[in-house]
Amino acid sequence: MEKILEQILGELKNLKTGQERLENKIDGFRSSIVKDLTPYIENVEKHIENSKNEIHERFDRLDRQVCISAYICL
């Protein structure tokens, strides 16, 4: 009985070691993914900001044109 308990304890230790290795690998993958995606995300954010600025500029131009047209019509 004692031998069986020792074997079970040994297996539990092996499982714990395997779990720790797996957690370390997952953390490594997570860090790698974040590291690899960061430049892409920054590029997308820049593109969004540029597009937003262009849209604002277009609306401002259109707003000025509407104001000028309204003034001329008076």
Side-chain angles (χ1 to χ4, degrees):
M1 182 71 165
E2 193 174 313
K3 242 183 187 180
I4 293 174
L5 290 174
E6 285 177 14
Q7 287 177 341
I8 291 173
L9 182 61
E11 289 298 319
L12 288 173
K13 287 179 183 178
N14 287 339
L15 287 173
K16 179 70 175 171
T17 302
Q19 179 182 359
E20 289 170 353
R21 286 183 192 158
L22 185 58
E23 288 172 353
N24 289 337
K25 284 186 179 184
I26 289 171
D27 286 342
F29 288 143
R30 184 180 301 125
S31 296
S32 177
I33 288 170
V34 169
K35 179 182 169 188
D36 291 344
L37 287 179
T38 297
Y40 174 74
I41 292 169
E42 289 172 353
N43 190 25
V44 168
E45 288 173 343
K46 285 179 188 176
H47 179 70
I48 290 170
E49 187 64 31
N50 290 340
S51 296
K52 190 171 84 174
N53 290 338
E54 288 176 14
I55 290 169
H56 283 294
E57 289 173 8
R58 287 180 188 170
F59 280 134
D60 287 343
R61 273 197 311 271
L62 290 172
D63 190 40
R64 285 192 299 273
Q65 288 174 353
V66 167
C67 288
I68 291 170
S69 297
Y71 180 75
I72 292 172
C73 291
L74 290 177

